[in-house]
């Protein structure tokens, strides 16, 4: 009799199941519009040229492999926070910005969530409501629940009818949320809808957040990748800081550096002053120590070298723009093709939405049709990864969407 | 008013505080016998030659990209890592009832294992299951299990300070008295901090009680190969337990034996009764990994996998490991010899009887304080020293300092 006999089979993570099904599919026309990773026009992963260059630099440097500090590589932490807040950030100059190097965006969210559960709004207050957008990245819920929060709630975000931001609903939820609630905000390129608030809308959101004393936890996984411009994509984060918010920002370098599997992330912490910051960081150390002890070096070193060298930094920004531009091109072309086909509905949202993902508006049945009949793989929510589109497959995809919309209701 | 206004300052981790104090010390004689990392005879970190070689191979390989690894990690790393622990010809592996979860070093493997056990072992979310850790043990064991939600962490007798050896009778007694199904964290070899391991005979006795009492076996294996110089010898206990039919977890670290400390290379080996149970367990491990780090880092795991899966590189690695183990053995022999030559009061056989990176000197806290403050020789308050901190250049000074500490301070 096994001690594991009562352990139930867990449901696989949807997006990876999709990719597994895609891999098993033998159809020559198959397309994977599921998992969020960049692809070239040849449908290949892309190792950024600057990354290849810096990998060589690292090997030539012959560094040792001694443990990093618990909070991570110092030059990575500081340069990563600068990327989010800006080189000339007053908060950084005031010494009230700190960071924890983490395992990708997930790791940054994890450490932040574990800290908040222990120390925010009382001690171990597991009932502080945590609000995540409706819809949101499928793992947000799981991260906060596993950190111990018992009350994870949705805030209105996506207006399905109008295919845009439900601002009134969003503001309404901010008003009615209990004071000191935690709100997880997508810094840019909202996943999965691709729909971001405008600057004006962010200002309104910030106003209520401040008035209701809510805690701001940004998730920033696509900086630079969304518009092609680092500063533009960081506008919301910087605006909130300028408004005096204390906040967390979970940064991922998986997408904008294409370093998915080296798990490069940073939890940026903005506090009122350095005294509060130091106490916070000391508690973060305790949490890191029992989770992974100290973080992995390779990816962080790569990013630090790049961000801290003017030449490499320029090269990186260029590489990022290459990716962002290809996505913008695919957006434009997909919309044009759907319009040319006369596919029922409006398709403006394809080019209005920003970043890697598009919320097509396809319903479950139409999604099923696309997968089963056309071998076009996308998430049940109708989310597609624009990076999966290429000049070679875009006609097939546009036609498939056209069929799905016209044949399936 | 800050939302962090009530957050208390946390005490720093002792071993890192020690290193920080050491770094700030300007005394020319200073020696760091604190943190557990290998040092050469020049007191330098050592990047294994095989590691340098494989790093270059990785950089030259045009076929590699940076796509996400599977949630459970790089398959060729997981399987080769488990083989290292259980043996190439392990029947359990052949029976498809062994799985691995790539973890962030040994800590990450312990973390995922602990989180799983709290959720799914001995009932559901049974936070009351006692978890036993050796007395003393690695300072982070307690906290990893506590943070995973376990409310009842207890010590089991292990170190006998009087005889400076294993408190076997006390250990066996604690095993008998522990509530059935308690979890026991066992050090596979090179016990940290005492360096004192059970003999094979003693392991057999321990296993017998554990089987009878239905206790859960969670091995921590951070020094395989590093302890005796032989991978097989250092894995004897784990393999014995598997041969006795135990289901168990083994948290493996490749930090020390590959010198890859900062790339966080670890593996949680899971041995189950059969493949069906294993599969369900791994599916739940995936859920835990997903909300912790999503999927693990590639660099270190790839490096280890390439090495373990190439006969040539594997042999080279074993030679590198033996180099480290041999230097430690040499330092042990020399330290004991010098203390005996100085006529330092007490017996010093334990220095060469103990195994692995650490030695429990037997120095008391006052003597430790003397060592640090007066002699600038840094060691843990428990009296634990890292043998790797000793070199042919500093060993006389260290022996002399120990001699003074013992003769001048009671």
């Amino acid at each position: 009799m096994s001690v594991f006999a009562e352990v139930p089979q867990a449901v696989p993570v949807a997006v990876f199941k999709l990719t597994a099904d895609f891999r098993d599919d033998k159809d020559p026309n198959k397309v994977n519009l599921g998992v969020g990773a960049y692809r070239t026009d040849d449908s290949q992963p892309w190792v950024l040229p600057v990354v290849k260059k810096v990998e060589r630099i690292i090997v030539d440097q012959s560094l040792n492999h001694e443990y990093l500090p618990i909070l991570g590589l110092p030059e990575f932490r500081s340069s990563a926070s600068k990327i989010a807040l800006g080189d000339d950030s007053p908060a950084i100059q005031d010494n009230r910005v700190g960071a924890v190097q983490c395992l990708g965006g997930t790791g940054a969210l994890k450490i932040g969530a574990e800290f908040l559960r222990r120390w925010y709004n009382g001690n171990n207050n597991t009932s502080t409501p945590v609000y995540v957008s409706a819809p949101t990245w499928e793992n947000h819920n799981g991260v906060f629940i596993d950190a111990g929060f018992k009350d994870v709630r949705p805030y209105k975000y996506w207006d399905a009818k109008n295919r845009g931001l439900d601002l009134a609903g969003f503001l309404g939820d901010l008003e009615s949320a209990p004071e000191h609630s935690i709100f997880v905000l997508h810094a840019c390129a909202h996943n999965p809808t691709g729909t971001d608030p405008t600057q004006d809308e962010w200002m309104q959101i910030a106003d209520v957040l401040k008035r209701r004393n809510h805690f701001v936890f940004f998730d920033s996984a696509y900086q630079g990748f969304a518009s092609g411009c680092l500063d533009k994509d960081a506008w919301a984060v910087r605006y909130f800081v300028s408004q005096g918010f204390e906040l967390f920002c979970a940064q991922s370098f998986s997408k904008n550096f294409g370093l998915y599997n080296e798990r490069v992330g940073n939890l940026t912490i903005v506090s009122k002053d350095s005294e509060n910051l130091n106490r916070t960081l000391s508690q973060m150390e305790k949490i890191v120590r029992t989770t992974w002890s100290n973080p992995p070096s390779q990816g962080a070193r790569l990013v630090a070298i790049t961000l801290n060298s003017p030449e490499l930094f320029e090269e990186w920004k260029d590489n990022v723009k290459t990716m962002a531009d290809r996505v913008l091109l695919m957006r434009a072309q997909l919309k044009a093709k759907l319009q040319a086909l006369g596919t029922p509905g409006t398709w403006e949202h394809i080019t209005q939405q920003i970043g890697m993902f598009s919320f097509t508006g396809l319903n479950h049945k139409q999604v099923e049709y696309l997968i089963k009949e056309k071998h076009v793989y996308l998430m049940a929510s109708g989310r597609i990864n624009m990076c999966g589109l290429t000049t070679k497959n875009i006609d097939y995809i546009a036609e498939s969407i056209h069929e799905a919309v016209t044949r399936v209701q």
Side-chain angles (χ1 to χ4, degrees), chain A residues 100 241 280:
Chain A
V100 183
V241 173
T280 298

Side-chain angles (χ1 to χ4, degrees), chain A residues 163-180:
Chain A
R163 286 197 188 155
L165 181 69
D166 177 4
L167 182 67
F170 190 173
L171 294 172
D173 282 344
L174 288 167
E175 287 285 358
S176 58
E179 274 208 9
H180 301 296

Side-chain angles (χ1 to χ4, degrees), chain A residues 39-310:
Chain A
R39 291 287 177 268
T40 63
D41 198 58
D42 292 311
S43 254
Q44 293 303 308
W46 192 48
V47 178
L48 276 58
V50 74
V51 165
K52 279 211 234 257
K53 191 181 272 191
V54 181
E55 280 171 341
R56 220 165 258 292
I57 289 175
I58 289 174
V59 133
D60 289 338
Q61 275 180 353
S62 288
L63 297 168
N64 64 45
H65 286 291
E66 293 302 288
Y67 289 120
L68 291 184
I70 297 179
L71 296 180
L73 190 67
E75 53 264 44
F76 166 76
R77 295 160 57 210
S78 54
S79 58
S81 292
K82 279 206 177 112
I83 283 290
L85 304 190
D87 252 356
D88 50 358
S89 162
I92 293 181
Q93 279 153 21
D94 288 345
N95 278 320
R96 56 191 190 86
V97 174
V100 183
Q101 179 191 338
C102 293
L103 280 281
T106 303
L109 287 162
K110 169 70 169 174
I111 300 303
E114 291 281 351
F115 173 89
L116 290 173
R117 189 262 298 161
R118 284 162 173 71
W119 301 113
Y120 172 71
N121 197 25
N123 279 4
N124 199 41
N125 186 355
T126 57
S127 9
T128 302
V130 177
Y131 283 81
V132 297
S133 63
T136 193
W137 179 47
E138 128 285 327
N139 204 19
H140 275 150
N141 223 292
V143 168
F144 282 87
I145 289 178
D146 278 4
F149 286 103
K150 306 232 172 295
D151 188 358
V152 181
R153 313 177 181 185
Y155 60 85
K156 290 181 200 65
Y157 194 82
W158 171 248
D159 180 341
K161 242 174 69 174
N162 297 314
R163 286 197 188 155
L165 181 69
D166 177 4
L167 182 67
F170 190 173
L171 294 172
D173 282 344
L174 288 167
E175 287 285 358
S176 58
E179 274 208 9
H180 301 296
S181 293
I182 296 164
F183 273 78
V184 180
L185 309 176
H186 298 232
C188 72
H190 183 270
N191 177 3
T193 69
T195 298
D196 292 340
T198 61
Q199 290 184 3
D200 247 14
E201 291 167 338
W202 274 124
M203 288 175 173
Q204 291 176 63
I205 291 162
D207 178 70
V208 187
L209 279 162
K210 189 186 272 195
R211 207 167 10 82
R212 301 288 300 147
N213 291 310
H214 295 319
F215 187 83
V216 175
F217 200 152
F218 273 111
D219 184 346
S220 176
Y222 301 99
Q223 189 183 358
F225 202 102
S227 69
C229 168
L230 292 167
D231 298 308
K232 193 151 179 251
D233 290 348
W235 186 87
V237 177
R238 296 175 190 186
Y239 175 73
F240 274 71
V241 173
S242 75
Q243 293 298 295
F245 282 85
E246 291 180 300
L247 56 80
F248 286 175
C249 180
Q251 304 170 259
S252 169
F253 291 90
S254 292
K255 280 82 171 174
N256 58 18
F257 261 87
L259 280 174
Y260 308 91
N261 72 7
E262 301 295 0
R263 315 310 295 123
V264 196
N266 193 51
L267 177 69
T268 285
I269 299 153
V270 182
S271 180
K272 275 261 177 299
D273 54 46
S274 94
E275 203 268 321
N276 278 287
L277 176 70
N278 288 339
R279 278 181 284 103
T280 298
L281 289 175
S282 78
Q283 293 296 345
M284 296 274 180
E285 276 199 359
K286 283 195 70 171
I287 296 166
V288 169
R289 177 71 171 156
T290 61
T291 312
W292 53 65
S293 234
N294 42 79
S297 170
Q298 178 73 2
R301 196 169 287 287
L302 203 154
V303 170
I305 289 171
T306 307
L307 297 185
N308 286 316
S309 145

